[in-house]
Amino acid sequence: MTPTETRAAIEQLGLRPSRALGQNFLVDQNIARLIVGAAGLRDSDTVLEIGPGLGALTGLLLDRAGRVVAVEKDARLHEFLLGRFGKRRKLELVHADALDVDVAQWAPFKVVANLPYSISTPLLTRLVESPARPSLMVLTVQREVGDRLAAAPRTKDYGALTLYTRLYYDVRRAHRVSPSCFLPAPEVGSAVMTLRLAPHPLLEPELEAPFKQLVRTGFGQRRKMLRSILPKSELGDWVKPDALDAAMARLGLPMTARAEELSLAQWLQLTRILVVPSPPAARPSS
Ligand code: SAM
């Protein structure tokens, strides 16, 4: 939608765009086309759109995907979308909080969304953690979240969100988006990120939980050395000081290493070394 059409729709609805709901509507059609184009949609695809708003992306998604599920929390916007697109058979409009819906019901699916900034991190975490992980996500997020997703080790943005996401997804920044592309303009810039599901898991399923515990604990006190945090934490039962020292030496890490110094590959290796498989159950003697 153009800025004029968007203003008219906002006025027609008597809407005062809510900051809490991250209601910044996209008015730059080139960016809308770029976002939808990045999803490489086909007729066989189901797309989940979170926060369709006034439908800036929804119309383009309907032109390309076989099925579009659009989950909007604001009742007035949901009603507006029913009026604007209600007759399109491949569209399912859902009036709900995206944090409350079970996305697995639409699997397999892709996600394309200009995420409401207030929930971008919890929502992203839920999608990444879902057993029905989307095969591809094209997400517009505030620049700071984009920086965290794309961060390299030894930078301030590198952290648990970076590593949890990269455990499953290849992450790229496709485009930077200026605040002037939205109405009203947000205070910060945005980034379009593509997250493509890795073809093969990087870690054995039984090691995912320990990996996340290690990462979360390590970054919980990111300025401290791992050897002064991990063995003293609740992980102390299985992260013994000697075993951690030996693991760090095997990985060529200095004993002073802090969480942000380890690459994803090193976190994966550290998990594998520290989690000793339990011995097979004793066989009954014949
Ligand atoms: N997709 C539209 C666009 O590109 O112009 C709107 C994007 S706007 C950044 C975010 C949208 O998410 C708003 O329509 C807002 O009402 C909706 N929203 C906010 N919180 C939500 C939630 N928890 N669940 C579903 N939708 C939500």
Side-chain angles (χ1 to χ4, degrees):
M1 284 165 94
T2 64
T4 312
E5 287 166 339
T6 304
R7 260 188 221 100
I10 290 175
E11 213 163 285
Q12 176 200 328
L13 291 170
L15 193 76
R16 289 187 61 211
S18 153
R19 263 171 92 110
L21 290 177
Q23 289 178 339
N24 305 99
F25 303 105
L26 184 65
V27 290
D28 185 312
Q29 319 224 20
N30 288 329
I31 299 288
R33 277 192 286 272
L34 184 145
I35 293 169
V36 175
L41 294 171
R42 298 170 177 205
D43 211 34
S44 53
D45 284 323
T46 293
V47 184
L48 171 62
E49 187 187 4
I50 292 153
L54 295 164
L57 300 178
T58 320
L60 295 174
L61 293 173
L62 282 166
D63 290 342
R64 302 191 188 189
R67 182 181 176 214
V68 178
V69 179
V71 180
E72 172 59 58
K73 184 174 178 180
D74 187 319
R76 294 159 303 176
L77 293 172
H78 175 72
E79 285 295 319
F80 175 85
L81 293 169
L82 279 172
R84 182 171 174 198
F85 298 113
K87 293 202 175 68
R88 304 286 289 265
R89 260 197 282 152
K90 46 175 152 166
L91 176 63
E92 186 179 334
L93 289 168
V94 180
H95 176 216
D97 184 329
L99 288 172
D100 293 338
V101 294
D102 176 12
V103 295
Q105 65 186 297
W106 298 299
F109 63 106
K110 295 178 175 176
V111 176
V112 177
N114 282 336
L115 285 185
Y117 290 171
S118 46
I119 59 159
S120 52
T121 309
L123 194 70
L124 182 58
T125 309
R126 277 178 68 107
L127 289 166
V128 168
E129 304 259 299
S130 160
R133 246 165 238 123
S135 57
L136 177 78
M137 298 193 256
V138 183
L139 305 175
T140 309
V141 292
Q142 63 267 53
R143 191 183 300 156
E144 174 226 321
V145 173
D147 288 346
R148 285 165 66 199
L149 291 174
R154 296 170 185 273
T155 62
K156 71 172 176 31
D157 294 315
Y158 184 68
L161 182 70
T162 321
L163 289 161
Y164 289 179
T165 310
R166 301 248 198 96
L167 181 58
Y168 307 105
Y169 286 92
D170 177 38
V171 176
R172 300 277 150 98
R173 190 191 335 255
H175 210 74
R176 292 178 200 274
V177 186
S178 138
S180 62
C181 296
F182 297 93
L183 196 88
E187 275 159 24
V188 292
S190 308
V192 180
M193 309 297 296
T194 58
L195 289 79
R196 198 172 294 280
L197 191 64
H200 305 291
L202 298 185
L203 199 59
E204 302 77 329
E206 67 276 15
L207 295 184
E208 287 183 14
F211 166 85
K212 288 173 189 167
Q213 286 176 315
L214 279 175
V215 167
R216 190 175 54 238
T217 310
F219 281 97
Q221 292 173 279
R222 59 185 295 147
R223 302 206 175 283
K224 289 199 179 167
M225 293 185 285
L226 289 177
R227 66 196 297 266
S228 64
I229 316 169
L230 298 180
K232 290 185 200 144
S233 72
E234 58 185 17
L235 311 184
D237 282 350
W238 54 279
V239 185
K240 303 285 183 206
D242 290 353
L244 180 61
D245 285 356
M248 308 252 286
R250 243 173 97 180
L251 294 176
L253 288 166
M255 291 299 147
T256 55
R258 294 171 298 154
E260 65 180 36
E261 291 170 49
L262 277 65
S263 64
L264 172 61
Q266 287 172 321
W267 277 110
L268 296 174
Q269 282 176 278
L270 186 68
T271 310
R272 289 199 181 96
I273 297 171
L274 290 174
V275 180
V276 181
S278 43
R283 288 196 189 158
S285 51
S286 50

